Amino acid sequence: MKKILFFVLFITASITLLNISGCKPKNAGDATGSDAASRVFVQPGKYDELYNFVSGGFSGQVSVYGLPSGRLLRVIPVFSVDPEKAWGYSEETKPMLNTSHGEVPWDDQHHLDLSQTNGEIDGRWLFANANNTPRIARIDLKTFRTAEIIEIPNSAGNHSSPFITENTEYVVAGTRFSVPMDDQNGDVAIDTYKKNFKGTISFVSVAPKDGEMKLAFQLLLPGMNFDLSHSGKGPSSGWFFFSCYNSEQAHTLLEVNASKRDKDFILAVNWKKAEEYIKQGKGKKQSVRYAHNKLDEATHTATSVMETETTVLDVKDFPDIVYMIPCPKSPHGCDVDPTGEYIVGSGKLAALIPVFSFTKIQQAIASKTFDGDYEGIPVIKYEAALHGEVKKPGLGPLHTEFDGKGNGYTTFFISSEIVKWSLKDLKVLDRQPTYYSPGHLCIPGGDTKKPYGKYLIAYNKITKDRYLPTGPELAQSAQLFDISGDKMKLLADYPSIGEPHYAQAVPAELISKNSLKIFKLEDNKHPYVTMGEKNSKVVREGNKVHVYMTAIRSHFSPDNIEGVKLGDEVYFHLTNLEQDWDVPHGFGVKGNNNAELLVMPGETQTLKWVPDRVGMFPIYCTDFCSALHQEMSGYVRVSPKGSSVPIAFSLGKNSDALDSLLKK
Ligand code: RUQ
Ligand code: CUA
């Protein structure tokens, strides 16, 4: 009874702390070093040293910054529609947002992982998760475009994702919410959680050549919440480590009920072994429904296919693929150091950081040093797996990254700070305040075998009093630290898009060397491409009107269109004929219940327009492309239903009156 009371008190205290979320550190105003300005100053016309890919949280997108300047370079649309780039609005991109629930125009994007070869960033792809409607996206870093999105069945809340293996063999996703499996009746009482709710971890394979994703297999696990993960590397290659909370299996008031146990778990998964079982045909087929969407670079068009099958391995029947390691107080971050030997668990309510040893975990498994089991999964004795604990590091540890020089850096949400500590002797070496309540942090390459280790960026949840007020909601922010010396030095801070969660950064050269400048027009395989102005035309097919239109500085062809009637569906297929870097053309038509098109050089994109009235409708280019951009415009005449006005289109054809005037 006393013990329970203590827990309630501890939890109440913790919750109160979480609510006030970060007291203001002293010297908040002048924490930067005197040379900070010169360290982050990138001369006008000079490139940044690094790309920083930052998750967009509830914006659903990914943003790209240059470092050390903190300049915003681009927002890549991923899971949310983006009218600026016509993402989810053009006919070509609509299928990318298709799911088994139909078209979903939004999501909550938390984690990113850059593709790796031999445990190092290879600069090819960036993977991103959708938290709400479980999906994983692959962004092609040649084009900075989302190239593929795969939905994850048997999952509800894809927070625990995407985490990749050392050679990008798999992108892995754990379910945040356990639920009844997709092929089971979900119409059950919520309090049957223990009996009916299950967790899964999904392995999505990535084709080495073109990156194509495929749901390879899923592990079926007891119901609880899976949180964060990292794959092993070096000696721990072939393993994955997931933090799990709510081992209490609560389904209400989780803030109290899922914090009852002193320890939750880190789940160690031998994925190589699981893969072997799958190859031996030991998995069970299950029927499910999930969307698999791909953007074809040749046609500039996406397709969506509804897949219907998954292969599931119930870990109960294969006890040598998963083990539980007790981890104090609702673990969140689960990070593996560059050598692959140390696994760091961060308990959101813990006052210490446990560091586990892969060697010891293997010894414990071999000698069966277990502390019973959790729903049939062997639980390794805490002490047997433990390398040691970082004592009194701060309050509310969340995430850890590494500098490759033997140090870990952990964010502390409640005490608003970053703490540097030594992996070897677990001594705290330095601490710096952040403003305020950091969630994730990023060291370029900080979760790979070879961290770049010069900078650290903290992503803050709360910025109270740091920026000009902007109404009830204030900017979230990033803070850049120099970690090249013994002490961390704050260099700069800047607002960020969406709520930033995880981010990764990489030396710019690795990405920029492959960056695509234009799409080659001759390679354009779009079914409605218009190869040159002379091929532009307007074709009626029943009530559908297809406009084969081109854009080049500074006109559309055609730019006068007649014969459209009320009740028609008009498809403007716009091909940008430019073959120059950075010359997109845009397209808008008055009253379209849609977005603009923004068409890259050599590309074709389609805007669907259903005119709602008779009249004259101007069209124009929305992207300032040339000195005569404002002249890049035209008219579409819409006649009544049943009118006899024939389809007609032209460019540069004036009335006789105007022609004679121009001749004078
Ligand atoms: S989480 S703030 Cu959504 Cu990655 Cu830890
Ligand atoms: Cu084309 Cu402005």
Side-chain angles (χ1 to χ4, degrees):
M1 185 65 200
K2 230 180 173 176
K3 210 171 171 194
I4 291 171
L5 196 72
F6 170 76
F7 275 132
V8 171
L9 278 175
F10 176 84
I11 287 154
T12 321
S14 314
I15 290 164
T16 315
L17 276 167
L18 284 166
N19 283 341
I20 59 163
S21 51
C23 30
K24 184 170 175 168
K26 279 187 204 132
N27 310 324
D30 48 51
T32 49
S34 57
D35 62 341
S38 64
R39 300 290 312 279
V40 298
F41 181 68
V42 176
Q43 263 181 29
K46 290 274 185 297
Y47 285 165
D48 271 293
E49 187 183 341
L50 301 139
Y51 281 104
N52 186 197
F53 299 95
V54 184
S55 59
F58 41 71
S59 81
Q61 320 293 45
V62 168
S63 46
V64 188
Y65 296 82
L67 291 178
S69 72
R71 298 182 294 195
L72 176 66
L73 304 175
R74 188 166 182 81
V75 175
I76 304 174
V78 187
F79 296 113
S80 293
V81 291
D82 180 353
E84 181 201 340
K85 303 176 184 81
W87 187 251
Y89 291 96
S90 69
E91 295 307 298
E92 287 78 3
T93 58
K94 277 179 185 171
M96 288 302 279
L97 299 178
N98 193 37
T99 72
S100 62
H101 305 272
E103 192 184 321
V104 174
W106 167 88
D107 219 301
D108 180 13
Q109 201 283 299
H110 280 224
H111 304 121
L112 298 169
D113 225 342
L114 286 156
S115 57
Q116 295 183 13
T117 302
N118 299 323
E120 291 180 43
I121 296 170
D122 60 23
R124 303 213 284 164
W125 307 301
L126 176 69
F127 296 90
N129 74 322
N131 213 348
N132 186 46
T133 303
R135 284 170 288 172
I136 293 176
R138 178 173 58 86
I139 296 161
D140 188 337
L141 294 175
K142 283 200 310 290
T143 55
F144 281 60
R145 279 193 179 177
T146 304
E148 190 178 3
I149 294 181
I150 192 167
E151 190 180 356
I152 310 292
N154 286 331
S155 173
N158 185 39
H159 186 263
S160 181
S161 156
F163 306 106
I164 62 162
T165 52
E166 263 179 307
N167 285 295
T168 320
E169 296 98 332
Y170 293 104
V171 199
V172 174
T175 186
R176 172 183 180 185
F177 304 106
S178 283
V179 284
M181 290 297 89
D182 288 3
D183 66 342
Q184 302 290 306
N185 179 18
D187 179 18
V188 293
I190 298 171
D191 66 8
T192 62
Y193 186 111
K194 273 192 199 319
K195 183 169 156 241
N196 291 322
F197 292 36
K198 297 279 180 232
T200 54
I201 293 177
S202 308
F203 286 74
V204 174
S205 62
V206 179
K209 256 188 94 182
D210 59 8
E212 179 161 335
M213 298 189 282
K214 186 172 163 255
L215 180 61
F217 62 93
Q218 300 186 291
L219 299 180
L220 185 68
L221 290 139
M224 68 179 123
N225 294 49
F226 297 92
D227 208 8
L228 282 142
S229 170
H230 268 100
S231 73
K233 42 175 107 70
S236 55
S237 265
W239 286 74
F240 246 107
F241 306 93
F242 284 84
S243 59
C244 326
Y245 62 104
N246 191 21
S247 53
E248 296 85 350
Q249 301 190 313
H251 52 78
T252 179
L253 197 64
L254 262 65
E255 68 171 333
V256 175
N257 294 332
S259 309
K260 286 218 165 98
R261 285 183 178 224
D262 192 34
K263 292 194 175 67
D264 286 284
F265 298 106
I266 283 178
L267 181 79
V269 179
N270 186 339
W271 65 262
K272 277 273 181 203
K273 193 112 227 180
E275 194 185 45
E276 262 173 51
Y277 286 134
I278 290 293
K279 279 191 188 135
Q280 292 162 14
K282 301 249 165 88
K284 288 202 183 92
K285 301 272 185 240
Q286 185 196 323
S287 38
V288 285
R289 266 165 56 79
Y290 62 98
H292 186 190
N293 313 332
K294 280 183 283 180
L295 188 66
D296 183 327
E297 247 192 49
T299 58
H300 308 289
T301 303
T303 49
S304 178
V305 172
M306 205 55 70
E307 307 273 3
T308 55
E309 198 180 70
T310 180
T311 306
V312 178
L313 207 58
D314 189 340
V315 303
K316 256 199 340 306
D317 307 330
F318 303 92
D320 57 347
I321 50 180
V322 288
Y323 302 89
M324 298 284 218
I325 306 162
C327 187
K329 297 275 161 214
S330 304
H332 185 56
C334 182
D335 301 287
V336 180
D337 89 308
T339 68
E341 168 63 10
Y342 300 116
I343 298 112
V344 181
S346 300
K348 296 187 287 271
L349 301 177
L352 56 84
I353 308 173
V355 181
F356 301 99
S357 147
F358 183 73
T359 313
K360 285 191 167 179
I361 292 169
Q362 293 309 304
Q363 285 163 356
I365 291 170
S367 63
K368 295 201 160 50
T369 314
F370 298 145
D371 220 349
D373 70 300
Y374 179 85
E375 307 252 328
I377 302 172
V379 176
I380 297 172
K381 271 202 165 66
Y382 177 68
E383 292 75 16
L386 193 70
H387 161 60
E389 293 168 342
V390 184
K391 306 275 194 215
K392 299 224 177 94
L395 276 177
L398 287 186
H399 298 282
T400 301
E401 292 248 298
F402 307 91
D403 62 4
K405 292 184 247 166
N407 305 306
Y409 298 73
T410 305
T411 45
F412 289 83
F413 180 82
I414 300 174
S415 53
S416 271
E417 57 188 335
I418 295 174
V419 174
K420 173 182 179 180
W421 51 274
S422 152
L423 277 159
K424 207 165 121 220
D425 57 21
L426 307 169
K427 292 252 163 38
V428 169
L429 302 173
D430 186 25
R431 56 179 72 238
Q432 286 296 325
T434 57
Y435 313 103
Y436 308 94
S437 303
H440 279 272
L441 77 171
C442 156
I443 291 176
D447 75 337
T448 69
K449 272 186 178 167
K450 279 223 182 100
Y452 187 66
K454 180 171 170 187
Y455 299 109
L456 177 156
I457 312 102
Y459 296 96
N460 302 309
K461 305 295 190 192
I462 292 164
T463 57
K464 217 169 273 184
D465 79 18
R466 295 289 291 181
Y467 297 102
L468 286 174
T470 50
E473 196 200 7
L474 299 179
Q476 291 92 27
S477 83
Q479 283 191 293
L480 181 74
F481 292 84
D482 172 5
I483 57 163
S484 57
D486 287 344
K487 299 278 174 206
M488 296 175 267
K489 268 199 224 155
L490 177 61
L491 296 178
D493 65 8
Y494 46 91
S496 60
I497 294 212
E499 182 188 41
H501 292 263
Y502 191 38
Q504 295 209 324
V506 55
E509 165 66 13
L510 212 52
I511 308 282
S512 59
K513 66 173 190 223
N514 297 324
S515 195
L516 195 88
K517 291 198 165 79
I518 56 159
F519 294 106
K520 280 202 190 119
L521 189 60
E522 74 233 45
D523 296 342
N524 186 327
K525 298 278 167 338
H526 192 289
Y528 290 94
V529 65
T530 308
M531 289 289 189
E533 252 169 41
K534 60 177 189 312
N535 297 317
S536 61
K537 59 186 174 189
V538 179
V539 178
R540 173 177 286 285
E541 282 168 17
N543 74 329
K544 292 192 169 59
V545 176
H546 291 280
V547 182
Y548 293 72
M549 189 181 248
T550 61
I552 196 158
R553 281 163 286 181
S554 301
H555 58 268
F556 294 112
S557 177
D559 68 358
N560 279 201
I561 298 169
E562 299 191 355
V564 172
K565 292 178 228 170
L566 211 56
D568 283 347
E569 282 174 10
V570 183
Y571 294 86
F572 296 99
H573 307 287
L574 182 62
T575 300
N576 181 348
L577 300 176
E578 308 279 356
Q579 292 287 271
D580 249 0
W581 194 17
D582 198 24
V583 191
H585 289 287
F587 180 82
V589 54
K590 186 188 168 189
N592 60 314
N593 306 114
N594 208 321
E596 66 160 351
L597 290 178
L598 192 65
V599 190
M600 297 306 127
E603 187 186 36
T604 305
Q605 291 285 287
T606 302
L607 190 79
K608 178 182 171 187
W609 176 52
V610 183
D612 71 326
R613 64 193 71 173
V614 169
M616 195 55 70
F617 293 81
I619 54 172
Y620 76 103
C621 170
T622 51
D623 186 311
F624 208 111
C625 50
S626 68
L628 296 176
H629 150 81
Q630 202 67 354
E631 278 72 7
M632 193 163 175
S633 62
Y635 289 103
V636 182
R637 170 183 171 191
V638 177
S639 305
K641 215 183 177 115
S643 135
S644 59
V645 177
I647 287 283
F649 54 91
S650 62
L651 167 71
K653 206 177 123 218
N654 289 309
S655 63
D656 296 346
L658 179 60
D659 265 348
S660 59
L661 188 75
L662 290 171
K663 267 179 204 147
K664 278 184 191 160

